[in-house]
């Protein structure tokens, strides 16, 4: 008897230890879950009861499920067998780190159907995940209480016991008791609403379709609503504050158009009964694709109410289309495991741009989606994937604890770029057929990489989609392709892994789609190149050539100097010799290579001469930032003066055009996107129209009136007397901002100070403020860190417990926070201090941000050492002097 008991305890111990390194067993499969929740918004607490129905496939000693006893207390738990009898539980073991609850009944669990019944209660938290305490401000300045949730990727277990993995799909029945002054919305339509006492209401929802638990949303609110229907009659409802009904209606119409497009293109109808949308004031991401209940950043749900900049308005509309696409990518077909996160996030970003090009966003110029995908995909992905420590898009995860770190630019940006390449390689018709087959095969099921690529390889035999995607998804980094002219008709190609310093050698070889054009012939046919070296032969002799970026490569291209100089002269004569997309990618490649010393300063400056004739807003903005960065390398007063004259010549035509009154009404998004920079320099250079508009903004803002955020951002930067009124601005912060974006704009320029006392006051204010959104508290730290990194680092260390509890387990926030707090430090002492601190403290989900920060400190130390050399300073001044001599009088007329 003693031996049997010891053996059973040993078996339980071994199973408990294995919980720390494995996922839940597939021998226990949940099918339904009843969830009954009661909310108290006065005490910010909730209590609940849940019933989980599951099938046991094999005989077992234990049952595992997810339950975070750290975040709520379980006051009772029972196991009911298929006969309806309650099985006694001999032992319940809670793993607080992995948030797993292990139940060991007194006797074996035989195959069959069982039910777990649990009762629990907990606090509604101020963190950014789980059961969240939040609210919003109405048009009269009154704050309203709300409860919301954010469960992605593994936070449903922090609100109630459940089987919290994406491959476990269950049907959920939800009942919510809440104050009578509030309503509640969730994944399914409301079945009934009954008053249970004078101040309390019980709302019962219909049973959902089969779904992953992390996609459940619960909202208790007192907002109004506007509703429309899709072409097939699906009700689309946007919950809205009193002052944003017009903008909420526009959001609803955009979501309805998105549903219609995806149903037609993907060949499978929207599988859920309705679609609700709500803006969350204190939200940690652009959006969250909960089934039937999309959460959006407050500004994006009601874009237009806050005079957003054109670029932010475009971004917000893209977010709405993106989240609707997730109803197919991630919701209808869920992931088997988080290692294939790119399959939903990369696809959602890619298909969003594709939907935009097909008229879903009706006021965007046709074809602009390519540029948006480049700026948010190519450029963002390149920046995160270029370091030695970067990881592949697909990574093995033993458990869901590291899933939050997978939500990065590699999954989103690189994933979307790879999918774009597949479309270009196999053709649009085959691509659409593959998607339709995928959704028809795995509707309301889970899928992975093999399932997805198998659907495409059955349709096309010209290219192995599996081989191509494995090459890109399973390899870290990306290639740099060096191209040189060999003969009149021939160029040579060499690929190697790209790193900023170029000192990291590997044997990696990528399958790269190549496609070239020259001044004598248009683009050639696509072909896959998968070798260290290669050649390309044109049919005619040429003066210049360029890689045609429509072939969708994810690489940096380095051309020989003679080719870049020839192309520079051609662009000065006619920028349209390259398309908008080709010029954008050529610019990004040129600036990236110049920043890392692979392109000469003379070539960089010579190419900038064409920018005054450029019409593409993204390119103008990128050149503006690059030239301002170059200005900091000049030391001679004469050179700095001549640079200002040249820089003014490059931008003055754009400034005068964008200051015209009709610019505010135009639908030429390529002009409006870079408008803020033109307004900024217009004010600095005393362009009359810009100056007059700036003075009106000052008067209205200081009197408490809401003004256009684009104007406000640069008025605050230019006018120093506004920054001297920073205490007055902090008083405005108590009631002025109605949106995250208004908070962000005001604080970013209050932080634009060199006074340490003011900086410390701002940091303390961000911690003690009860009304500042948590997303803005994080950004405030980053703003101050950019001006005074040493002060910010000391403050961050003292208050690390607060920041870790607030952001340490959220997907993006802690990664970005650790990067911005450390990346501006620049001494060896700082470098060692950061490493020493994080040897004793967990970096949570911010490990990648910490690595970027340490890499940045090393670069800063090297840059400081270089700048201490007078020869380095003289070189830039001498090069610029020679460049000035090549300019004509008109180019220095500023």
């Amino acid at each position: 008897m003693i031996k049997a008991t010891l053996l059973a305890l040993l078996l339980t111990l071994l199973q408990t230890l294995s919980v720390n390194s494995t996922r839940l067993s597939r021998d226990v499969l949940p099918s339904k879950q009843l969830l009954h929740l009661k909310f108290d918004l006065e005490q910010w607490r909730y209590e609940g009861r849940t019933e989980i129905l599951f099938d046991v496939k094999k005989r077992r000693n234990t049952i595992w499920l997810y339950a975070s006893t750290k975040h709520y207390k379980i006051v009772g738990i029972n196991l009911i067998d298929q006969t309806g009898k309650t099985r006694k539980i001999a032992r319940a073991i809670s793993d607080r780190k992995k948030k797993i609850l292990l139940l060991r009944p007194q006797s074996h669990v035989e195959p069959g159907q069982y039910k777990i019944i649990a009762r629990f209660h907990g606090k509604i938290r101020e963190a950014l995940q789980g059961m969240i305490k939040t609210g919003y401000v109405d048009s009269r300045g009154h704050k309203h209480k709300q409860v919301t949730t954010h469960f992605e990727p593994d936070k449903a277990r922090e609100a109630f016991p459940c089987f919290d993995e994406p491959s476990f799909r269950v049907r959920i029945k939800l009942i919510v008791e809440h104050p009578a002054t509030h309503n509640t919305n969730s994944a399914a339509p409301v079945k009934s609403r009954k008053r249970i006492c004078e101040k309390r209401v019980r709302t019962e929802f219909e049973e959902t379709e089969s779904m992953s638990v992390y996609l459940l949303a619960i909202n208790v609110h007192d907002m109004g609503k506007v509703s429309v229907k899709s072409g097939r009659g699906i009700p689309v409802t946007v919950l809205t504050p009193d002052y944003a009904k017009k903008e909420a209606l526009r959001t609803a119409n955009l979501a309805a158009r998105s549903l219609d497009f995806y149903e037609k293109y993907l060949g499978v109808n929207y599988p859920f009964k309705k679609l609700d949308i709500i803006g969350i004031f204190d939200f940690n991401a652009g959006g969250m694709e909960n089934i039937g209940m999309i959460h959006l950043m407050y500004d994006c749900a009601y874009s237009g109410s806050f005079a957003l900049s054109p670029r932010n308005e475009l971004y917000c509309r893209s977010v709405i289309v993106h989240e609707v696409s997730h109803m197919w990518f991630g919701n209808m077909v869920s992931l088997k495991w988080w290692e294939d996160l790119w399959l939903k996030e990369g696809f959602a970003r890619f298909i969003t741009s594709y939907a935009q090009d097909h008229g879903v966003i009706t006021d965007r110029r046709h074809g602009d989606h390519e540029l948006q995908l480049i700026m948010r995909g190519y450029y963002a992905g390149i920046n995160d994937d270029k370091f030695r420590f970067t990881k592949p898009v697909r990574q093995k995860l033993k458990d869901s604890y590291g899933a939050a770190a997978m939500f990065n630019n590699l999954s989103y940006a690189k994933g979307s770029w790879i999918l774009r390449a597949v479309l270009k390689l196999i053709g649009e018709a085959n691509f659409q057929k593959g998607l339709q087959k995928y959704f028809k095969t795995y509707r309301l099921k889970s899928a992975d990489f093999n399932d997805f690529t198998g659907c495409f390889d059955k349709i096309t035999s010209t290219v192995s989609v599996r081989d191509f995607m494995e090459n890109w998804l399973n390899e870290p980094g990306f290639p740099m392709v060096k191209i040189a002219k060999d003969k009149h008709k021939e160029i040579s190609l060499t690929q190697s892994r790209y790193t900023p310093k170029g000192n990291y050698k590997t044997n990696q070889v990528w399958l790269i789609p190549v496609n070239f054009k020259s001044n004598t012939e248009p683009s050639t046919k696509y072909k896959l190149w998968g070798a260290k070296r290669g050649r390309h032969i044109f049919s005619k002799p040429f003066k210049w050539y360029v890689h045609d970026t429509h072939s969708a490569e994810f690489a940096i291209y380095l051309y020989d100097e003679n080719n870049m100089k020839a192309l520079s002269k051609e662009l000065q004569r006619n920028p349209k010799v390259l398309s908008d997309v080709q010029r954008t990618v050529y610019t990004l490649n040129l600036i990236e290579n110049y920043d890392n010393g692979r392109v000469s300063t003379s070539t960089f400056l010579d190419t900038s001469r064409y920018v005054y004739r450029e019409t593409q807003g993204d390119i103008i903005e990128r050149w503006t930032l690059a030239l301002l960065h170059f200005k900091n390398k000049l030391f001679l007063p004469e050179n700095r003066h001549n640079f200002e004259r040249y820089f003014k010549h490059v931008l003055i035509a754009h400034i005068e055009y964008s200051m015209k009154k009709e610019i505010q009404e135009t639908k030429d998004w390529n002009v409006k996107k870079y408008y803020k920079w033109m307004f900024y320099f217009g004010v600095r250079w005393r362009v009359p129209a810009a100056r007059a508009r700036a003075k009106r903004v000052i008067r209205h803002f200081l009197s408490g009136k809401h003004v256009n955020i684009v104007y406000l951002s640069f008025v605050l930067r230019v006018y120093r007397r506004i920054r001297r009124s920073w205490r007055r601005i902090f008083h405005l912060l108590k009631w002025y901002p109605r949106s995250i974006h208004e908070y962000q704009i005001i604080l970013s320029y209050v932080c634009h100070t060199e006074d340490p006392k003011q900086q410390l006051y701002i940091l303390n204010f961000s911690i003690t403020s009860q009304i500042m959104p948590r997303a803005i508290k994080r950004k405030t730290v980053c703003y101050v860190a950019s001006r005074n990194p040493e002060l910010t680092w000391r403050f961050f260390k003292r208050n690390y417990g607060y920041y870790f509890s607030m952001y340490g387990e959220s997907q993006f926030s802690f990664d970005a926070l650790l990067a911005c707090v450390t990346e501006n430090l620049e001494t060896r002492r700082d470098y060692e201090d950061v490493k020493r601190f994080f040897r004793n403290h967990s970096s949570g989900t911010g490990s990648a941000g910490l690595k970027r920060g340490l890499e940045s400190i090393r670069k800063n130390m090297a840059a400081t050492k270089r700048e201490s050399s007078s020869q380095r300073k003289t070189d830039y001044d001498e090069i610029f002097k020679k460049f000035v001599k090549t300019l004509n009088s008109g180019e220095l007329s500023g």
Side-chain angles (χ1 to χ4, degrees), residues 145-163:
K145 293 180 178 180
Q146 278 181 278
V147 175
T148 190
T149 58
H150 186 76
F151 294 152
E152 187 180 46
D154 59 347
K155 301 298 183 272
R157 65 193 71 174
E158 295 183 5
F160 51 86
C162 57
F163 286 78

Side-chain angles (χ1 to χ4, degrees), residues 518-544:
S518 71
N519 62 303
T520 57
E521 64 179 280
S523 300
T524 55
K525 292 183 179 180
Y526 301 120
K527 64 178 181 179
L528 278 179
W529 168 51
K532 280 285 187 182
R533 300 180 182 277
R535 311 188 77 76
H536 179 80
I537 301 174
F538 290 94
S539 60
K540 300 176 183 178
F542 57 88
K543 293 182 180 178
W544 57 263

Side-chain angles (χ1 to χ4, degrees), residues 691-711:
R691 206 76 174 177
R693 193 167 293 161
K695 290 179 180 179
R696 289 197 299 273
V697 170
I698 292 173
R699 289 196 301 271
H700 289 169
F701 173 64
L702 291 181
S703 65
K705 295 180 180 178
H706 289 274
V707 297
N708 187 293
I709 291 178
V710 179
Y711 303 150

Side-chain angles (χ1 to χ4, degrees), residues 880-888:
F880 187 72
K881 274 186 179 180
K882 293 178 182 178
F883 172 68
V884 168
K885 292 178 181 178
T886 66
L887 302 176
N888 58 51

Side-chain angles (χ1 to χ4, degrees), residues 561 594 597-608 630 633-634 872 875-877 879-880 883:
E561 292 276 342
Y594 169 68
R598 294 184 175 95
V599 171
S600 67
T601 303
S602 59
T603 300
F604 167 78
L605 291 171
D606 195 49
T607 307
S608 71
F630 173 78
K633 299 178 181 180
L634 299 175
R872 184 72 176 176
D875 285 345
Y876 282 111
D877 282 294
I879 292 169
F880 187 72
F883 172 68

Side-chain angles (χ1 to χ4, degrees), residues 76-89:
I77 190 163
N78 296 307
L79 177 65
I80 313 296
D81 65 17
Q82 53 263 48
T83 65
K85 294 181 179 179
T86 301
R87 301 283 298 274
K88 291 185 178 181
I89 298 175

Side-chain angles (χ1 to χ4, degrees), residues 522-573:
S523 300
T524 55
K525 292 183 179 180
Y526 301 120
K527 64 178 181 179
L528 278 179
W529 168 51
K532 280 285 187 182
R533 300 180 182 277
R535 311 188 77 76
H536 179 80
I537 301 174
F538 290 94
S539 60
K540 300 176 183 178
F542 57 88
K543 293 182 180 178
W544 57 263
Y545 61 90
V546 69
H547 190 264
D548 181 6
T549 53
H550 285 287
S551 61
E553 80 299 335
F554 191 84
I556 289 290
Y557 282 78
L558 178 61
Y559 303 96
D560 61 89
E561 292 276 342
N562 290 332
N563 181 68
M564 287 188 283
K565 289 177 180 178
L567 190 53
S568 171
K569 292 178 182 178
E570 191 69 33
L571 288 171
Q572 290 175 46
R573 287 192 293 269

